[in-house]
Amino acid sequence: MIEKVYQELIIKRSELLGKLNIVQADLDKKLETLVKNNWEEFTPSSTIRRKMVAVDGGQFVKELRTGTVFVLNAEALITEGVQILNTDQEVKAGVFRPGNKAKERVGELMAIMELKLALQNGGSGTWILMDGSLKKKLGEVKQLDADFEFREGEITSLNQEDEDIMLLHMVYEKQVYLSQLLDRFGSRTVWISKMSRTKDLFHQDLSDITLLETFTRGPGFSTVKCRPLLRNQVEDHDRRKSLEGVEVCSFYARLDQNENVLRIDLIGRPTTGFIRDLLNDLYSVSVKGYPYPLVRVHYDVKVSRNDRKRIIEMLNLRRRRGVEWWPGQFY
């Protein structure tokens, strides 16, 4: 079977590479004009080293026939320039049995841990830097039919025995923590995406980031696009009610010449001055066009290949197969 795959790749190699490599000359001149009209050149520069709180999480998940093992590690890193002032961590390890929607629950649990740490440590910095997209972090807001008691500083959804209900409770709990974070720190909380396939700025077949990286090279930022964070109403007694009035605004930015374009989400409509101040502060700690605090916290929580091997050995999860080709799902 795999030989046919190789043959297909050889036949289609030029076609596949052509779709992956975007050449500026192949795109319409009108499109180039559109992109450049929505891009403001701005070269950040700053000698001020702001205090920042960078938050990220890492995970290990192993699905077995008896259940799903997970180990989670989240960290809030407080920095001043590139100097680390303090760290705050939270870890969770457990087993979901039988393990229905286990990966979804692990993802929601990690998001809760990250938001809790941001909430607890947000007052220590001028900016709170979160990895990823605000909209994706929020997820879909649904009515919660079952009774659920939210207790700040805890993750009570883990006490639920029914796996489907646990997932619903986790999503709710995450969204409550997110609403508290936005209430408390507002536009000081900044979501930064390295990868974004959204097309809400130019509405073309190619992503906004692809077009900006094709037609621009220097530092600067794009036109800002804003939209309501929620599309549906939340009941008056719901702890997520404050999310109704939130407007999330997004723009793209490049911090240094020829580096990658980043997508930035925050709440409230930022002025040009606000954007320039933010980019100046991010530039002051950037490495190859990306904020160093987010790079450092990412590597602090990343579960490496060696970490995975050690966890598997510690929990005695390694099972010898009778033959190498036998499917791992049987173990």
Side-chain angles (χ1 to χ4, degrees):
M1 176 63 186
I2 194 66
E3 291 301 325
K4 289 187 176 181
V5 172
Y6 291 140
Q7 291 172 17
E8 182 76 1
L9 287 174
I10 291 170
I11 293 169
K12 291 193 171 181
R13 182 177 183 276
S14 296
E15 178 188 341
L16 296 174
L17 291 177
K19 288 182 177 180
L20 291 173
N21 297 320
I22 306 301
V23 180
Q24 183 172 338
D26 294 338
L27 300 177
D28 195 297
K29 283 291 182 184
K30 290 182 180 178
L31 183 55
E32 180 179 2
T33 302
L34 174 65
V35 171
K36 290 185 175 179
N37 284 344
N38 282 276
W39 181 257
E40 181 172 332
E41 293 183 356
F42 170 68
T43 302
S45 62
S46 179
T47 57
I48 301 173
R49 298 293 185 263
R50 305 285 187 192
K51 287 184 179 178
M52 298 186 186
V53 181
V55 181
D56 202 0
Q59 64 179 30
F60 166 86
V61 183
K62 178 78 170 174
E63 292 184 307
L64 304 165
R65 290 170 67 82
T66 52
T68 300
V69 181
F70 65 90
V71 178
L72 295 175
N73 173 33
E75 180 178 271
L77 186 71
I78 298 101
T79 65
E80 186 172 13
V82 295
Q83 180 185 1
I84 297 169
L85 302 180
N86 201 2
T87 60
D88 189 8
Q89 290 184 318
E90 184 168 353
V91 297
K92 294 284 183 189
V95 176
F96 289 140
R97 297 182 64 181
N100 296 316
K101 297 182 180 177
K103 288 186 177 180
E104 291 90 338
R105 283 184 287 154
V106 169
E108 295 298 337
L109 181 55
M110 188 170 73
I112 294 170
M113 292 165 61
E114 291 171 4
L115 291 168
K116 282 176 73 255
L117 287 171
L119 199 59
Q120 291 162 196
N121 296 278
S124 300
T126 302
W127 303 105
I128 305 167
L129 307 183
M130 307 288 289
D131 179 57
S133 159
L134 171 54
K135 191 71 176 176
K136 285 185 179 179
K137 186 71 72 179
L138 174 69
E140 186 179 358
V141 176
K142 298 179 179 178
Q143 288 301 133
L144 192 67
D145 296 326
D147 292 334
F148 178 71
E149 182 182 358
F150 175 85
R151 294 194 290 270
E152 185 170 344
E154 300 181 25
I155 305 178
T156 55
S157 51
L158 286 172
N159 300 329
Q160 177 56 242
E161 293 184 2
D162 183 280
E163 295 189 316
D164 290 325
I165 295 176
M166 181 191 290
L167 178 58
L168 291 174
H169 286 185
M170 282 180 167
V171 173
Y172 174 83
E173 206 162 13
K174 174 194 69 175
Q175 292 167 347
V176 173
Y177 276 117
L178 178 60
S179 68
Q180 291 184 341
L181 181 67
L182 298 180
D183 287 344
R184 195 169 301 177
F185 298 110
S187 58
R188 287 173 51 199
T189 308
V190 180
W191 277 263
I192 300 178
S193 303
K194 300 180 288 295
M195 294 287 292
S196 173
R197 295 183 177 86
T198 55
K199 301 182 283 186
D200 49 1
L201 181 57
F202 301 118
H203 306 287
Q204 301 293 319
D205 291 337
L206 296 171
S207 69
D208 294 333
I209 277 184
T210 299
L211 292 173
L212 286 166
E213 291 184 343
T214 301
F215 291 117
T216 68
R217 288 287 178 267
F221 56 94
S222 74
T223 301
V224 178
K225 286 289 184 179
C226 299
R227 63 199 180 284
L229 186 58
L230 286 189
R231 296 291 182 184
N232 55 319
Q233 283 194 327
V234 177
E235 293 183 358
D236 290 341
H237 66 274
D238 198 307
R239 285 179 173 270
R240 302 168 294 177
K241 183 68 176 176
S242 63
L243 292 173
E244 268 189 7
V246 173
E247 189 175 41
V248 57
C249 293
S250 306
F251 62 93
Y252 301 94
R254 182 187 284 116
L255 297 176
D256 214 341
Q257 187 76 23
N258 292 323
E259 298 298 346
N260 291 339
V261 171
L262 308 173
R263 179 185 169 97
I264 297 176
D265 297 342
L266 42 81
I267 67 165
R269 292 181 177 257
T271 63
T272 299
F274 180 95
I275 293 174
R276 289 181 174 181
D277 288 343
L278 171 60
L279 297 187
N280 280 333
D281 290 344
L282 294 178
Y283 173 79
S284 72
V285 292
S286 74
V287 177
K288 294 185 65 63
Y290 191 71
Y292 169 75
L294 280 177
V295 175
R296 176 58 190 266
V297 75
H298 170 77
Y299 280 100
D300 281 356
V301 299
K302 181 180 179 181
V303 182
S304 68
R305 181 179 297 180
N306 287 335
D307 292 328
R308 293 173 184 275
K309 287 181 179 178
R310 289 185 66 185
I311 293 169
I312 287 171
E313 289 170 1
M314 287 176 67
L315 297 178
N316 196 28
L317 300 178
R318 191 181 300 282
R319 296 288 186 270
R320 288 191 175 274
R321 303 182 188 184
V323 286
E324 281 300 314
W325 51 265
W326 194 250
Q329 290 89 337
F330 285 100
Y331 292 89

